Every structure is written in C-alpha cells, then in structure tokens.
Amino acid sequence: MRIGIDVGGSHIGLGIINAQNKLIIKEEKDYDTRKDDMSEIVIQTIINLLKQVLLKQNITIEDIEQIGIAFPGTTSNGIVIKAENLGIMNLNIEERIKQVFNTKIVLENDAKCAAIAEKQIGSLKNYDDALFIIIGTGVGGAAFLKGKLLKPVRYSGFEVGHMVIKETEDKCNCGRRGCFEIYGSMKRFKEKINQEFKLNSIDGKIIRQFMLDNKENKKLNVIIDEYIENLTIGIANLVNIFEPQAISIGGSFGHYEELLLPKLRKRLSEGTELYNKDSIPELLIAELKNDAGIIGAAML
Ligand SMILES: [Zn+2]
C-alpha cells in the first residue's frame, strides 16, 4: 500500500492506493487555524490525519511502502523551497514527517503529481507526448515526452504560468509583468465577470450559472472571447515547443467544460498561432478531478 497526501490551500487530502493504483481510502481535513506561515499547521495536520487513518484502517506504518506528498509550490529533494499561498519557505517536510513515520517519504509539486496520475491512469494514458495544464487560481502543469515526465534536477520546472504572453503593466505575484497566469487563470476570468456584471461573488457555481443564463450577452461574450484568446496564445506557445499529441486541462477550468472547451478547441484548431499549422493537439479535460493530486503523490 502507498499513501498520497495532497496539501491544499485550505485543507489536506490523504488517500491510500492499492497495487493497481486505485484509491481505496480517502480522508480530508481542513486546517484548524490560519497563520501567515502555515508550516507547523500543515505538518501537524498531516501527522494527525495520518495517525487517524492508520488507526481507523487498523494498519501500521510498516504496512506502508511509501508516502508521497503533493505540495502547491516549488519543491526540491524533500524540501518545500517556497509555497507562497501558505507563506512557507524552506521547509524540510521529508525530515519532519520521517521523524514521526519511519518510511520512505517523497515530495513533488502538486501539478506534477496530478499530471503523473492523469498520464498513468487518466485522460493522457494513451498519449506519449502530452502536456498537463492546471488552470485554476494559478496556471501550472507538466510535460511528457515519449511517455516520460520532464523533470529538472533543480526545482519542479515547467512554470508555464510565468511565461510572459503580453507586453503590459499588469504585475504577477512572481514579480514579472504580463505572465500567462494573469490572463489564463480562472481566478482572473471570474473576477472580470464579477466586475462587469456586479455579481458580488466569484463563487464558481454562481459564475457558471450566470454564464449559462446569459449565453447571448454581448459583454459576456467579449470577456469569454478575450479569455479564450489569451489561453490560445499561452497554449500555442507550449504546442510550438513540445508538439504534444494531447493536452489535458485540470483545475477549476473543468467545471466550465461545455462553456469554454469547444471555443478553445475551435480557436486553437484555426492553427494561426501554431508554427506547424497542422500540429493541433487533442484538448481534453482531466478525468481524476480532485483525486489526481493524492493518486499522483502516491505513485511518485
Ligand atoms: Zn508570474
């Protein structure tokens, strides 16, 4: 048995997968409190949840081959270098968890974990050259060539959200201006709709319903077209570099599948942004949804 832990912005998800990579148990726990630096809270939540699951399943740490941890940030050799949303810098999570649970611990960026799961058992399993792109609060992802995950020696790599797609004054969290993440994230898209139509919410369900109810609204379609245009620029840049057979999109973008995906497919298939005009990849939506991080972490 292997354990996968997905560290999120507001909670931890933990699962056990069997030899067939099937998720057999899943538990979640919200953080009790919030601090500027969430290091100790994240570690304590992991330890407590892990103890609880082992007890409940009547198993010991000796039954667990490996614990994989998916973390939303830059990771390197068991250390979280930085995770801005959790205020964490240089946290040796491998060492801290190993002090309590003596088994093999591996750490990887969460988008990479989700990508590994999608590649092995999800939407990308039939493709050798493929990209996985998470579009949610930010934009991240991973690339596979000849079935192998591209994995730099130093950090997580493939920070696609921080390639510049526009010459602009808009500043990204990373310090650069004009990053893909600014224009391609669902956060920005929802904020724009909220701003224009004064919905007083960027809740995904409310925005989605508003889009369904106002399909013919010209102003809404301008916002959608602009968003699709920006996504196309970013994705076309990646297609020109990697020539993927398929691209799977994870994150909250998937909730808007029927509203956004056909438009993105159509725009990209025009080929005008592509160096090789006929090199149009399949555009897919991730299949494993919220479980991808846990499963991928367990498969590391
Ligand atoms: Zn950036």
Side-chain angles (χ1 to χ4, degrees):
M1 279 182 289
R2 286 163 161 245
I3 284 182
I5 296 172
D6 191 9
V7 176
S10 59
H11 74 284
I12 303 251
L14 187 152
I16 298 182
I17 64 167
N18 64 14
Q20 287 74 45
N21 295 323
K22 242 191 129 50
L23 190 62
I24 47 175
I25 288 141
K26 184 183 163 186
E27 296 279 347
E28 288 175 294
K29 175 86 175 72
D30 285 345
Y31 303 131
D32 290 332
T33 46
R34 276 221 83 89
K35 281 189 182 169
D36 289 342
D37 178 352
M38 291 290 285
S39 299
E40 293 310 313
I41 295 163
V42 166
I43 285 184
Q44 278 317 314
T45 310
I46 291 176
I47 291 171
N48 292 341
L49 189 58
L50 199 47
K51 279 184 181 163
Q52 188 191 315
V53 167
L54 293 179
L55 196 69
K56 207 167 146 187
Q57 300 304 321
N58 201 17
I59 49 180
T60 67
I61 198 66
E62 283 75 36
D63 300 317
I64 304 299
E65 292 163 56
Q66 179 174 312
I67 299 173
I69 303 173
F71 217 96
T74 305
T75 62
S76 181
N77 298 318
I79 298 169
V80 178
I81 306 293
K82 60 175 177 181
E84 275 140 354
N85 292 335
L86 292 165
I88 294 176
M89 295 278 282
N90 297 319
L91 173 66
N92 193 332
I93 198 160
E94 181 184 326
E95 192 182 87
R96 292 291 303 275
I97 303 295
K98 219 177 162 67
Q99 283 167 359
V100 186
F101 301 100
N102 190 20
T103 187
K104 192 179 170 201
I105 315 272
V106 276
L107 173 72
E108 185 54 91
N109 166 267
D110 57 351
K112 306 292 179 295
C113 292
I116 290 167
E118 286 293 331
K119 177 73 186 73
Q120 292 295 323
I121 59 170
S123 55
L124 296 173
K125 63 176 182 283
N126 296 325
Y127 301 94
D128 287 333
D129 297 341
L131 302 181
F132 178 72
I133 303 176
I134 281 200
I135 302 178
T137 312
V139 176
F144 298 87
L145 287 181
K146 293 188 177 162
K148 264 191 79 140
L149 174 70
L150 293 188
K151 205 168 178 306
V153 174
R154 283 184 178 164
Y155 297 132
S156 323
F158 207 74
E159 292 292 352
V160 293
H162 303 286
M163 72 179 155
V164 170
I165 64 160
K166 266 189 188 200
E167 201 176 333
T168 168
E169 287 302 305
D170 294 340
K171 207 168 178 186
C172 179
N173 289 333
C174 76
R176 294 185 88 186
R177 294 178 200 280
C179 286
F180 183 32
E181 181 163 295
I182 305 178
Y183 308 103
S185 72
M186 286 310 295
K187 183 167 172 261
R188 153 95 172 203
F189 176 66
K190 290 190 287 188
E191 279 170 359
K192 279 212 109 171
I193 292 177
N194 181 39
Q195 240 169 35
E196 179 68 43
F197 298 101
K198 316 243 176 316
L199 304 179
N200 287 320
S201 174
I202 53 162
D203 180 84
K205 282 197 184 111
I206 292 173
I207 300 280
R208 197 184 124 79
Q209 194 56 49
F210 180 80
M211 288 172 72
L212 283 168
D213 295 341
N214 294 278
K215 279 188 174 165
E216 305 302 324
N217 185 304
K218 281 207 174 95
K219 280 184 175 166
L220 177 63
N221 281 310
V222 169
I223 295 175
I224 294 174
D225 288 348
E226 188 203 22
Y227 180 62
I228 294 296
E229 196 60 28
N230 290 329
L231 273 186
T232 303
I233 295 170
I235 290 175
N237 287 348
L238 298 173
V239 173
N240 290 341
I241 297 168
F242 294 99
E243 299 287 346
Q245 298 162 298
I247 299 176
S248 173
I249 302 177
S252 54
F253 183 93
H255 302 316
Y256 303 81
E257 180 172 355
E258 83 276 29
L259 292 162
L260 297 175
L261 191 66
K263 290 181 199 288
L264 182 60
R265 272 196 184 122
K266 184 167 176 284
R267 181 64 187 84
L268 193 67
S269 69
E270 287 169 13
T272 46
E273 316 296 326
L274 302 178
Y275 180 73
N276 294 315
K277 305 295 175 205
D278 60 347
S279 172
I280 297 154
E282 293 283 341
L283 275 184
L284 311 161
I285 294 291
E287 285 172 10
L288 303 167
K289 311 288 175 208
N290 294 332
D291 295 338
I294 295 177
I295 298 172
M299 293 169 88
L300 284 171

